[in-house]
């Protein structure tokens, strides 16, 4: 049976891991390298290269090689300016809900760029495992907002992956540690990635990983240390010059040099820096640099991690002294100053044991395995929404409807009444963030509820439901509650890609589009159909006799037989239709089973209460 | 109890597949009461999560996945509301049709239930804060700000004691004639409490999570 994979889709590097025989491991490439640089180079024609090769190409081809694409995920053209400083990319001119790069003469969006990275990792896993891979868990920074999460999921779909779950990176790390040694207690996960910083406080107790609070900064990462150091190097040799006005090729070389120097200074107290001649900066030179000098310029950046840590501890209601351990994640946590900062904030030395570069991918593979139903029934992850969800009210003030750190999945409903006579529409603006004013929060969706019947002011009530699923993704629906009748309106958020856009891009990525897509649909329908039949057989064997009448059971058996027969054929539309039919016929059975299992738990719990 | 549980769950799946809050107490299988054992509440939440969480249904049929999402959502929403004493109080009032809590109201509309005299007192405090320039977290070590802070915190403590006492009265006979009067008193206390919490928040210039206080 096909194994699901875990993917750490990082700002700087990405990894893929798989769990084999209860042991989760990162899969290296054919040359034994575990990391895949998150670099995608668009060449002439349709040529796309990913990873080390693309990274090398970035030196000569800085405009057509996209690095740190993660910083652009879920960002609109209006927001790209903020990220522009980090790279020399060319952007498409028209405004739109997603950023579009212009690389080698074509337009690509961040989801498409990320999909190239995902495809490469998928191929790597398939080569190593010797079978096709479809199911994957992809990790995201805990602090990612809804738009960034949606973009990541879209990237997975573009790479033809079935995204089982978006897993928060710190939670993945805790899972990797937790499964290893089965520790108990409250832990902090300090995750300084290439471009994002996350802090999560989790309680580990009898197989349950419960996130108590999370926080972070989605614009702070190890890249900032490299950039700060690069700025210093250029100032030493060329006083008055800045990173910002360097030729892109020179900037690329300098950033690489800075990263190397940073790593050398993690191991040694001092090093000699040799800056080569760079495009636009003819003079080369060398000078000594001490760790202390590096730390002086890194300190203001590393210090920015302290406030989110303290806030997360406060939100979790945990004092530093109550922590059982601090889990470091991300290559930057090897920097002695970062380790010292962690120790200072939390009052204890960070744990060692799992490579901070690999730990997230390992956790993702463990979660993928759990979701595939392969053992680990005693494990459960309970995660939270990182940022409050709210709606804009009069005067631009935000009313919070789901507070941050609420366990997901979660929902909130809000009833709106009309404020003018014969008002037939209502504007709703959904935002995410902690600030009081809507303009200071992330705008997630703006939509107008239409079709409200004309009535005097205050007479119509519209119930709006905000649902956040286990991936941390939001859907909004609205129902107008006039006496006796209610209509349901599905509201799609205004950013990200529509299903049609995903399908079109997917089509474009196949060489023989139509055949491939037909094949793919057939395969997917078959897998889905088999899964439903398998689950149903299990359920019938367990509860069929107790919860179904003979007639009900017969109807289900007939519908299941129809589906089973269709799966042997070649008609994917019929497979889907019969799967849907079976789903409807067995709906009451599913409902009864769920109700029964809840009843059982509550009976057990009450029995336990009595004993106490 | 069984039938009550069933009813609560039946309500959870409203037409159109939307999740409705259902009855939070029934979802967690506990008696309707303001005084409750939070450790027991946490244990219930955990035990139900182990069975209902969408992670458990990743390989199930679309129908079961939807049911799992709806039930877990109702479970988490119930737990979030009931574990916090203030949200729990607001929920009990809302169910009794008293006040409005955080539900069914015009946006931005502060609650009723406070008299003119109280509002004047609050207005004086706010005016004084503006005069001294101590709103928005700029209170610092200003002695009058500290005094105001102490006064507001003491008022909150006092209200919390009143809320506790009124609920004790209500719990003795939730259906009785005097019990509704107790809940109306709770509503008044909660309304006043919100004003004091806002004052604390303005002096400290930070986000005080709902339910933060002496309870």
């Amino acid at each position: 049976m096909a194994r699901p994979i875990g993917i750490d889709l990082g700002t700087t590097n990405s990894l893929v891991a798989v769990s084999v025989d209860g042991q989760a491991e990162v899969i290296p490439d054919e040359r034994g390298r575990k990391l895949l640089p998150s670099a995608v180079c668009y060449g002439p024609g349709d040529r796309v290269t990913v990873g080390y090769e693309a990274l090398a190409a970035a030196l000569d081809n800085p405009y057509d090689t996209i690095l740190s694409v993660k910083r652009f995920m879920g960002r609109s053209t209006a927001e790209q300016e903020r990220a522009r400083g980090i790279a020399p990319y060319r952007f498409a001119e028209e405004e739109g809900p997603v950023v579009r790069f212009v690389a080698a003469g074509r337009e690509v969006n961040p989801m498409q760029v990320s999909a190239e990275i995902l495809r490469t990792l998928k191929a790597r896993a398939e080569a190593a495992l010797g079978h096709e891979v479809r199911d994957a868990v992809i990790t995201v920074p805990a602090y990612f907002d809804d738009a960034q999460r949606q973009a990541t999921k879209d990237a997975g779909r573009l790479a033809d992956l079935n995204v089982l779950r978006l897993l928060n990176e710190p939670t993945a790390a805790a899972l990797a540690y937790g499964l290893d040694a089965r520790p108990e207690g409250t832990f902090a996960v300090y995750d300084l990635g290439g471009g994002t910083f996350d802090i999560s406080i989790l309680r580990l107790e009898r197989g349950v990983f419960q996130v108590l609070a999370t926080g972070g900064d989605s614009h702070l990462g190890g890249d900032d240390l490299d950039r700060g150091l690069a700025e210093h190097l250029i100032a030493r040799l060329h006083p008055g010059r800045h990173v910002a006005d360097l030729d892109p090729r020179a900037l690329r070389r300098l950033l690489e040099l800075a990263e190397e120097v940073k790593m050398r200074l993690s191991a040694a107290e001092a090093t000699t820096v040799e800056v080569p001649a760079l495009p636009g900066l003819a003079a080369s030179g060398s000078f000594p640099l001490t760790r202390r000098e590096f730390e002086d310029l890194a300190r203001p950046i590393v210090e920015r991690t302290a406030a989110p840590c303290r806030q997360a501890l406060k939100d979790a209601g945990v004092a530093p002294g109550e922590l059982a351990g601090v889990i470091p994640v991300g290559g930057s946590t090897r920097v002695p100053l970062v380790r010292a900062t962690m120790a200072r904030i939390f009052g204890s030395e960070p744990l060692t044991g799992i490579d901070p570069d690999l730990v997230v991918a390992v956790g993702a593979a463990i979660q993928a395995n759990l979701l595939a139903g392969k053992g680990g029934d005693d494990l459960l992850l309970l995660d939270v929404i990182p940022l409050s969800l709210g709606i804009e009210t009069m005067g631009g003030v935000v009313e919070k409807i789901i507070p941050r750190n609420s366990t997901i999945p979660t929902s909130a409903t809000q009833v709106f009444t009309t404020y003018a006579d014969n008002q037939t529409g209502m504007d709703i603006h959904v935002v995410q963030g902690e600030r009081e004013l809507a303009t200071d929060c992330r705008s997630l969706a703006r939509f107008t509820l239409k079709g409200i019947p004309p009535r005097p002011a205050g007479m119509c009530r519209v119930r709006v439901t905000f649902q956040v699923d286990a991936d941390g993704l939001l859907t909004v629906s609205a129902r107008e509650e006039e006496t006796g009748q209610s209509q349901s309106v599905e509201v799609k958020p205004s950013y990200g890609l529509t299903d049609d856009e995903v399908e079109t891009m997917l089509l474009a990525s196949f060489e023989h589009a139509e055949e491939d897509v037909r094949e793919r649909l057939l395969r997917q329908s078959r897998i889905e159909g088999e899964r439903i039949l398998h689950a149903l057989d299990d359920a019938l064997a367990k509860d069929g006799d107790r919860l179904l009448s003979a007639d009900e059971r017969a109807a289900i058996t007939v519908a299941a037989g129809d589906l089973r027969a269709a799966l042997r054929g070649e008609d994917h539309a019929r497979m889907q239709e019969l799967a849907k039919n079976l789903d409807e016929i067995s709906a009451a059975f599913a409902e009864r089973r769920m109700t029964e299992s809840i009843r059982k738990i509550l009976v057990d719990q009450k029995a336990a209460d009595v004993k106490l | 109890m069984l039938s009550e549980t069933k009813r609560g769950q039946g309500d959870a799946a409203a037409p159109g597949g939307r999740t409705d809050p259902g009855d939070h107490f029934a979802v967690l299988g506990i008696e309707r009461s303001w005084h409750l054992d939070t450790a027991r509440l946490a244990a219930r939440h955990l035990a139900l999560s182990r069975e209902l969480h969408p992670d458990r249904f990743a390989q199930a049929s679309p129908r079961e996945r939807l049911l799992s999402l709806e039930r877990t959502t109702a479970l988490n929403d119930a737990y979030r509301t009931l574990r916090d004493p203030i949200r729990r109080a607001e929920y009990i009032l809302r169910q009794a049709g008293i006040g409005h809590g955080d539900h069914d109201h015009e946006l931005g509309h502060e609650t009723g239930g406070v008299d003119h005299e109280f509002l004047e007192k609050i207005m004086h405090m706010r005016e004084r804060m503006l005069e001294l320039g101590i709103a928005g977290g700029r209170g610092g070590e200003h002695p009058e700000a500290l005094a105001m802070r102490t006064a507001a915190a003491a008022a909150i403590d006092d209200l919390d004691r009143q809320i506790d006492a009124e609920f004790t009265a209500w719990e003795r006979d939730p259906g009785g004639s005097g019990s509704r009067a107790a809940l109306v008193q709770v509503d008044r206390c909660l309304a006043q409490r919100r004003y004091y919490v806002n004052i604390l928040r303005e002096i400290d210039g930070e986000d005080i999570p709902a339910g933060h206080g002496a309870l």
Side-chain angles (χ1 to χ4, degrees), chain B:
Chain B
M1 195 62 227
L2 175 61
S3 64
E4 195 183 331
T5 305
K6 266 187 174 161
R7 195 183 62 226
Q9 284 152 6
D11 289 342
R18 276 295 121 211
T19 305
D20 262 321
D23 180 275
H24 291 335
F25 291 101
V27 165
L28 281 153
I30 56 166
E31 304 269 314
R32 181 184 319 278
S33 146
W34 183 76
H35 289 93
L36 51 77
D37 177 354
T38 47
R40 194 172 63 130
L41 200 66
R44 286 283 156 85
H45 175 249
L46 218 57
L48 288 162
S49 294
R50 277 187 192 272
E51 293 297 321
L52 300 178
H53 196 275
D55 282 5
R56 291 272 181 264
F57 292 85
Q59 297 301 313
S61 69
R63 174 81 48 177
E64 285 174 307
R65 290 208 293 272
L66 180 65
L67 282 173
S68 153
L69 174 66
E70 287 178 352
R71 297 291 168 87
T72 310
T73 299
L75 174 66
N76 287 336
D77 294 352
Y79 183 54
R80 179 171 77 239
T81 304
L82 295 190
R83 75 174 163 174
D84 180 277
I86 296 302
R87 289 202 188 108
R88 187 161 71 235
E90 287 168 346
Y91 180 65
I92 290 171
L93 294 187
R94 197 158 73 219
Q95 282 194 312
I98 293 168
H100 53 55
D102 56 358
H103 181 74
D104 194 9
H105 61 99
E106 296 207 0
L107 296 176
H109 175 248
E110 265 287 28
T111 180
V114 287
D115 56 29
H116 188 68
E117 209 175 311
F118 176 80
L119 281 178
E120 267 190 2
K121 193 162 85 184
I122 294 292
M123 258 157 58
H124 282 307
M125 283 180 94
R126 285 186 181 280
E127 273 165 20
R128 189 69 190 135
M129 282 163 69
L130 279 175
E131 277 167 28
L132 296 168
I134 56 174
R138 293 187 300 272
E141 298 300 303
H142 195 290
E144 202 167 335
L146 288 177
M148 271 192 193
R149 207 196 175 288
T150 310
I156 288 175
D157 282 350
D158 186 45
L159 288 167
D160 287 349
R161 274 192 295 275
Q162 288 182 50
I163 290 169
D164 193 315
E166 296 294 350
F167 271 122
T168 304
W170 172 70
E171 282 158 6
R172 259 185 244 120
D173 180 18
S177 56
S179 72
R180 196 167 172 85
L183 292 187
V184 170
Q185 284 305 310
V186 172
D187 186 47
R188 184 188 54 83
C189 292
L190 286 175
Q192 294 191 2
R193 198 181 186 281
R194 278 179 213 117
Y195 284 97
Y196 285 120
V197 167
N198 280 337
I199 283 175
L200 280 191
R201 191 177 285 158
E202 276 171 38
I203 293 174
D204 295 342
E206 63 178 325
D207 189 28
I208 298 171
H212 179 84
L215 281 173

Side-chain angles (χ1 to χ4, degrees), chain A residues 405-417:
Chain A
N405 295 324
S406 294
T407 304
I408 51 173
T410 184
S411 73
T413 57
Q414 196 81 20
V415 176
F416 297 87
T417 45

Side-chain angles (χ1 to χ4, degrees), chain A residues 159-171:
Chain A
D160 203 16
L161 286 167
N162 175 37
V163 182
L164 294 174
R165 179 76 75 240
L166 297 176
L167 177 62
N168 289 330
E169 286 158 11
T171 312

